[in-house]
Every structure is written in C-alpha cells, then in structure tokens.
Amino acid sequence: MQSSRRRRKKGMWRQRVLVSSGVRLYSRVAPQVVRVTAKNVAKLGSPKEGPKPRQLLSLPPFPGFPLPGKKSLNACHITAISWVKYYFDEIQDSVIQSHFNKSLVQIECPSSSDSVEMEGLGKPMRKVCLNLARVQIKPSDVMEVGARIHIPVSVAETAISKRFDTIPSGTLYPNADEIEYLQRLVKYKDSALLVLNKPPKVPVKGNMPIHNSMDALAAAALSYGYDEGPKLVHRLDRESSGLLLMGRTKESIAHLQLLFSYINKAQSKCQAWNDACEATYQRYWALVIGSPKDKEGLISARLSKVLLDDGKTERVVLAQHSSLEPSREAVTEYRVLGPTINGCSWIELRPLTSRKHQLRVHCAEALGTPIVGDYKYGWFVHRRWKQMPRIDIEPSSGKPYKLRWPEGVDIQKGSVLAKVPLLHLHCRELVLPNIAKFLDVLDGKSENVHPALGTRPDLLRFVASMPSHMKISWNLMSSYLV
C-alpha cells in the first residue's frame, strides 16, 4: 500500500520536472472542440439533433352515441382518456396514462360535417373536414362529436411472442396441449356465440385433404359441454389473422349468417335489434406497399371471378363494364393510419360488403397498393419492392439513422425483413349485436327482452392483438420514430 503511494508521488514529481524543463506531454485522449459563437457563448461537442418525427396513429372520429358495450356511459360526458382506453382495451391503462402525462396526445376537431349517401347502399357516411391544427388535449377533457384523436403508435405496441402463431395439430383429434392452446385463442363466449383470434396460415374451412382447419379443430376442442361444436358464421383467408366469429346454436348461427350476408333481411320488429344491426362493422389493419393518393376514402368496385389458363385456378378481379362474367357489388372504406415508412403504409380497412378476397383485390387493383405478403394479387409489385434495409432515412432531414431493434425478436418469421413475408392483413376490431340478449325476441318466443337480460349491452365489441410477424413489422417500422 505504501509502495504504491510512493510510486504515484514519484510519477507526479517526474511530470512536474518535465513540464518545468520545457518537455510537453501529450495526452492520448482527444481534446473536446470548443466553439465560440458571435455572442461569446462557448459550446462543447457537436450540436444536438432535433427530435425525430413522430408517427401518429389517427383514431376514428368520436361517434357521439353510446359506445358499444358501454351503455352505462353517457356519450355527452365521455372524456378523452376514456375514449382512448375504450379503443385500445387490450392495452394497459398505465401505458395510455403515460402518453397523456407526456403531452403526446393531440386532438383535431372538425370545422364542419355533412352527410353523403353511398352509391348503391343507401347508408349515410359522415364526411369531415380535417384542415384544422392539432392541439394537445388533457385526459379529463370531454370529447366532442366528430373529434379525432392522434396518438403515437407506441400506444399500440405490445409484447412480441416468441412462439410462432400456428396450431401444431395435424389430426381431427387434438391432444391436451393443443386443446389448451386452442382455448387460449378464445376471446369471448356466451350461450349463443364464440369469438376467436385466428392465427395466420391456418385454414378456416377444411375439406378432405385438410384436417387442421379451424372449423374441425373447434368442433373437437371448443364445444364446452354442448352436444355439437361451434359453426362458422363468416370466413377469413388462410393467410390472414384476427377475429373469427362462430355460432353455438342453430338459431344463433342462422341469425348471424343472415346478418353478415344480408344485413337488411336481418331486421325485425325489435327496434333495439335493428339499431344494433346498423352499428355492426369490422375493421382490419393492413401493411401495404406504397401509399394511397387520398388519406381516406370509399372504394366501390364490383368483383367477378375468372378461371386462369389451367382451367382450375380461380381468381377474383375487378369487373369490367364490358365483361360477360357475373359480378357482385363490393364496397370498402379505408384510411391511412400514419406516414409512409420504407415505401410502406399502415392502413385501416372497413368492408361494407362480404366478398371473397375483397380487401386484397381492392388494395392491389383499386388503390394500387397491394398488401405485404399478398403474392396472389401483388406479385409484380413484390418483385420490384425493395425490402426494409437496416439503415433507414429520416423523412424530414433525409439523413440516415439506425433502427432500434426489439430485443429477443427473430426477424425471419414472416416480418418485412423476411425473404418471403407473410400476409400482413389482420381483422382487428369487430362490433356486432349481443344476439344472446335478443334471441328469444327474434325467434318469436317473447315480444320483449327478458328482464334478466335487460341490463346486458345491446352491442359487443372485440379487439384482437396482431400476430407475431405483424407485431415485429410494426415495431421495426414504427417504434424508432416515437
């Protein structure tokens, strides 16, 4: 201990001698550059870069009527934080509260609104002017009808599951682990219906060579004591994911199929049921290559089916006016959720009709922006598409900056960085009537709703988190901007 002190003192004494004798010692550490401005203010180091642009997620306009599933809330006294929590009910309240605490939530109020009749459907669609500046909003501020909230996309980020979202079953008789996995997909069940979050790459309707379809697996594992398993009410593509609705009884299956196929024929003498049918909708999230010219709009393009040269493969295309093929009306509402990043955009789709491959064809052919991973309708665009690099360009300054990769994420599982990305189409939101409440009225067994069911909401709303490959793409393309 004493010897080390002696050596330290000896070194300090030797340094004083060298300096006094005119020998200059150079440090190996590079000195900091000092710059003096015109006002004689010294600054150290390079100037700090400004804040990077935020990608804001635009919520739908506030409807102004009692929210689905929230009958007790008065529409005139719904606060901003209540509306955001309602829209992101799968996100923790603390995450939403932190965005308000950091003053990251903005609101945009419409200056005027009018109603336009949609051609061929007879339903009013609200057209809102969104040219006003956005202002910050407090969590306790009361929402106005038509007001639209903008919030950073980080509020929608969720933990990425390391397990790939596929059902490992290959037979009609799943084992105990597979049954447990299937039951974890169930988001809601009652006496009339059952709602699941379907993973990608799993067929919905099976045939002889397909054994692990959702209808067969549900019949084997999701009967929950009923004599028969649930039946499909509507379908999703094999490659897509999201909310899948199934009926549990013959009566509920018939009414729900009628609701999704012919909404006008689903009307009854019960006014509450009719109002609930009018409020029914589905919302999808999709990642598309490119960006639509208009940030929001209505696609009304008829679809027809044609056979390819092999005489077996069927393809859905936009119907031509001079075509002899039969066509069906297809209508889709869309809006862009945020800015274009790496040549791709996140958009929200709301189909107003139920046609096979409607959203995929409308995105690829009507908008000219095919969905990422849709090689059937966007093959030529995928061939020219340059996938996301590891170095991105900041939109405002044009300077490159590095991405912040999520930890513990395998980028080769169908995301935008994979050689062959999976389809980025997800049924995220579903609002439908609470058919268990109105079933006796619809079947003519009673003229009024049973008093025990009167306190239940007229509408049910479900939100499903994105599959792993879409979560990875969301984080890679969005989180570093927030």
Side-chain angles (χ1 to χ4, degrees):
M1 194 70 170
Q2 293 179 357
S3 62
S4 61
R5 291 180 181 175
R6 290 186 189 136
R7 286 196 299 269
R8 197 180 305 118
K9 291 181 179 180
K10 185 176 180 180
M12 295 174 62
W13 176 82
R14 181 174 178 274
Q15 186 177 1
R16 294 194 194 100
V17 173
L18 291 175
V19 173
S20 61
S21 61
V23 179
R24 181 172 296 177
L25 295 177
Y26 293 94
S27 174
R28 293 186 179 181
V29 181
Q32 289 182 323
V33 179
V34 180
R35 300 185 313 276
V36 181
T37 61
K39 296 182 180 180
N40 296 325
V41 178
K43 297 181 179 180
L44 297 179
S46 59
K48 295 182 178 180
E49 297 182 1
K52 294 180 180 179
R54 298 185 182 276
Q55 184 182 2
L56 298 179
L57 183 68
S58 175
L59 271 63
F62 181 68
F65 52 79
L67 301 178
K70 298 288 184 182
K71 188 176 181 180
S72 59
L73 289 178
N74 190 347
C76 300
H77 296 86
I78 296 179
T79 60
I81 192 171
S82 298
W83 168 237
V84 176
K85 287 181 179 179
Y86 173 79
Y87 192 76
F88 295 109
D89 60 351
E90 79 278 13
I91 305 300
Q92 295 181 358
D93 293 348
S94 59
V95 176
I96 298 176
Q97 184 67 50
S98 65
H99 282 71
F100 278 96
N101 295 341
K102 296 176 183 178
S103 301
L104 299 177
V105 185
Q106 302 175 0
I107 190 170
E108 193 172 27
C109 296
S111 59
S112 63
S113 62
D114 53 354
S115 181
V116 184
E117 289 289 331
M118 291 190 297
E119 183 179 357
L121 291 180
K123 292 184 180 179
M125 183 181 71
R126 181 168 296 171
K127 182 180 179 181
V128 183
C129 178
L130 297 176
N131 295 326
L132 296 182
R134 302 170 186 169
V135 295
Q136 294 180 359
I137 187 172
K138 297 179 180 179
S140 59
D141 291 347
V142 179
M143 293 294 298
E144 298 180 1
V145 177
R148 176 170 288 178
I149 283 183
H150 300 267
I151 191 168
V153 296
S154 56
V155 74
E157 292 178 5
T158 54
I160 299 174
S161 175
K162 294 184 180 180
R163 180 177 181 181
F164 197 51
D165 299 292
T166 55
I167 296 178
S169 176
T171 65
L172 288 175
Y173 304 99
N175 56 36
D177 293 336
E178 293 166 349
I179 291 176
E180 183 181 357
Y181 175 75
L182 286 168
Q183 292 178 351
R184 287 201 303 268
L185 300 178
V186 177
K187 294 187 63 67
Y188 176 84
K189 66 180 178 67
D190 58 18
S191 59
L193 56 86
L194 186 143
V195 180
L196 301 91
N197 186 5
K198 186 188 94 67
K201 300 185 69 175
V202 177
V204 173
K205 186 67 175 177
N207 49 33
M208 291 304 295
I210 298 177
H211 297 290
N212 61 339
S213 60
M214 288 300 300
D215 59 342
L217 292 171
L222 302 178
S223 59
Y224 291 105
Y226 278 41
D227 295 336
E228 297 182 359
K231 304 296 182 182
L232 292 171
V233 173
H234 71 103
R235 298 187 182 185
L236 297 176
D237 295 342
R238 178 192 182 106
E239 296 83 4
S240 61
S241 61
L243 294 169
L244 184 66
L245 181 63
M246 289 184 157
R248 303 191 67 190
T249 63
K250 294 182 180 179
E251 294 78 12
S252 63
I253 293 172
H255 291 295
L256 289 173
Q257 287 179 343
L258 195 63
L259 174 64
F260 277 85
S261 302
Y262 309 97
I263 190 170
N264 294 329
K265 293 184 179 180
Q267 305 294 322
S268 69
K269 297 180 180 179
C270 181
Q271 186 60 37
W273 167 261
N274 296 339
D275 295 339
C277 291
E278 292 294 330
T280 301
Y281 65 84
Q282 291 176 285
R283 279 200 177 101
Y284 289 74
W285 277 8
L287 179 65
V288 298
I289 302 175
S291 180
K293 295 181 180 179
D294 298 325
K295 296 302 180 183
E296 58 182 15
L298 182 71
I299 306 171
S300 181
R302 301 182 69 88
L303 302 178
S304 61
K305 296 180 181 180
V306 297
L307 289 177
L308 300 185
D309 295 337
D310 58 4
K312 298 179 181 180
T313 308
E314 194 176 62
R315 184 69 57 89
V316 180
V317 297
L318 294 181
Q320 304 295 330
H321 296 291
S322 58
S323 176
L324 300 178
E325 298 289 339
S327 62
R328 303 183 68 184
E329 185 180 27
V331 183
T332 304
E333 290 182 8
Y334 77 92
R335 68 185 184 96
V336 181
L337 296 177
T340 303
I341 303 175
N342 291 286
C344 297
S345 304
W346 289 98
I347 64 173
E348 184 180 79
L349 302 166
R350 179 179 171 181
L352 303 181
T353 55
S354 300
R355 304 289 180 256
K356 182 180 180 180
H357 295 174
Q358 173 180 327
L359 301 181
R360 297 166 64 178
V361 176
H362 277 177
C363 287
E365 300 189 18
L367 295 180
T369 56
I371 302 174
V372 173
D374 187 4
Y375 307 102
K376 186 170 186 176
Y377 299 103
W379 170 250
F380 294 102
V381 178
H382 278 78
R383 292 181 61 183
R384 300 191 303 267
W385 174 47
K386 294 182 179 180
Q387 290 178 266
M388 184 176 177
R390 286 182 177 267
I391 299 297
D392 197 7
I393 302 300
E394 186 175 319
S396 60
S397 63
K399 297 180 180 180
Y401 56 89
K402 295 182 180 180
L403 298 173
R404 294 190 287 111
W405 303 96
E407 297 181 0
V409 171
D410 185 0
I411 62 175
Q412 299 299 327
K413 286 192 173 180
S415 68
V416 289
L417 290 178
K419 294 182 180 179
V420 183
L422 296 178
L423 183 68
H424 283 57
L425 179 62
H426 176 70
C427 182
R428 182 181 181 271
E429 184 181 5
L430 174 64
V431 173
L432 72 158
N434 189 355
I435 191 170
K437 178 179 180 178
F438 299 101
L439 198 56
D440 291 342
V441 178
L442 297 176
D443 293 339
K445 299 179 181 179
S446 175
E447 296 182 357
N448 299 316
V449 177
H450 194 277
L453 304 176
T455 57
R456 296 186 181 182
D458 294 345
L459 290 173
L460 299 175
R461 177 180 180 266
F462 309 100
V463 176
S465 59
M466 292 185 291
S468 297
H469 70 281
M470 292 185 66
K471 288 181 184 178
I472 295 172
S473 300
W474 180 280
N475 280 265
L476 293 177
M477 299 185 62
S478 306
S479 61
Y480 64 92
L481 287 179
V482 178

